[in-house]
Amino acid sequence: MVNGDWIDVSVAFRTGMVHWPDNPPIRITRILDMKHGDACTLSEISMGAHSGTHMDAPVHFLRGGKELDEMPLSAVIGPARVIAIRDPDRIRVEELRPHRIRRGERILFKTRNSARVWKTDVFIKEFVYLSTEAGRYLAARRVRTVGVDYLSVGGYKKNGPEVHRALLKAGIWIIEGLDLSHVRPGEYDLICLPLKIAHSDGAPARAVLRRIPAGT
């Protein structure tokens, strides 16, 4: 969704939307409703912390790691680069090398996921994910933040713990569940603010991008 110069790259939360198979389902229930004569309208929300567009804290996979309310805002506010991935299976080192990824960058990966996975409430097992080798490559480059366009940086029943740890041990903050279907590769301003939940391993987030004109 485009709102002025800003592009909303987060997914809308709704009852029954897709979620990671062993995570709690998303339920949004109106418990008060002015349409039914109540004084106000009020909803109850139930979901896992890693639903929809969300962020992972280091403690999600690292014992004693930082919690999400300890995240520096510089991880998610500032210039970011959207990189298009052609590989239909995974993000590999060979496809990353030509992009000359630099220390401190915020990198968002646009794969074929964005065009297909958010159109269904059925979990898609064969989504494009970050290979462990690519995760280690990004860790060696000391990037600041990595974002992906489905519910995990790691593949389903493949390399989830390994690739999360490769990134998180390097101090890289992770954004998952982006929808980059309306975003072209290039340079953007990024704002991605997760809910400030005390001692959390993750939290839903709202993420927006604004194109940085070439040459600025």
Side-chain angles (χ1 to χ4, degrees), residues 36-212:
H36 300 151
D38 294 315
C40 67
T41 299
L42 176 68
S43 298
E44 179 181 87
I45 300 174
S46 174
M47 67 176 71
H50 299 264
S51 300
T53 306
H54 66 277
M55 289 197 65
D56 288 357
V59 74
H60 184 38
F61 275 96
L62 302 180
R63 187 186 298 272
K66 286 186 177 181
E67 295 159 338
L68 196 55
D69 53 328
E70 300 178 275
M71 180 194 74
L73 292 178
S74 58
V76 290
I77 300 177
R81 182 156 50 131
V82 176
I83 293 177
I85 297 297
R86 295 185 178 89
D87 194 304
D89 179 50
R90 71 193 74 181
I91 302 168
R92 304 175 192 266
V93 173
E94 293 76 14
E95 196 168 359
L96 297 185
R97 285 199 180 100
H99 292 283
R100 300 178 182 273
I101 293 170
R102 302 178 299 276
R103 181 186 181 95
E105 281 199 274
R106 305 171 187 89
I107 301 292
L108 310 180
F109 291 113
K110 179 180 180 178
T111 75
R112 68 180 185 133
N113 294 339
S114 284
R116 67 188 191 111
V117 297
W118 301 119
K119 295 178 180 179
T120 176
D121 292 334
V122 176
F123 179 76
I124 294 178
K125 296 179 180 179
E126 298 303 322
F127 60 90
V128 182
Y129 62 94
L130 186 68
S131 71
T132 303
E133 295 76 18
R136 291 170 180 157
Y137 178 86
L138 294 168
R141 294 296 176 281
R142 312 300 292 184
V143 303
R144 189 191 309 258
T145 306
V146 168
V148 294
D149 54 358
Y150 204 40
L151 295 171
S152 176
V153 289
Y156 181 63
K157 294 187 177 180
K158 293 177 181 174
N159 68 333
E162 294 82 5
V163 72
H164 275 91
R165 291 183 185 118
L167 298 174
L168 295 171
K169 282 182 178 179
I172 298 170
W173 292 88
I174 299 172
I175 307 170
E176 296 172 327
L178 295 169
D179 178 359
L180 299 171
S181 56
H182 300 293
V183 177
R184 293 175 295 168
E187 304 286 339
Y188 291 84
D189 287 320
L190 166 70
I191 300 175
C192 178
L193 295 178
L195 294 178
K196 190 175 182 180
I197 302 173
H199 312 303
S200 181
D201 50 274
R206 186 75 177 266
V208 295
L209 294 174
R210 181 173 62 184
R211 185 85 183 193
I212 298 176

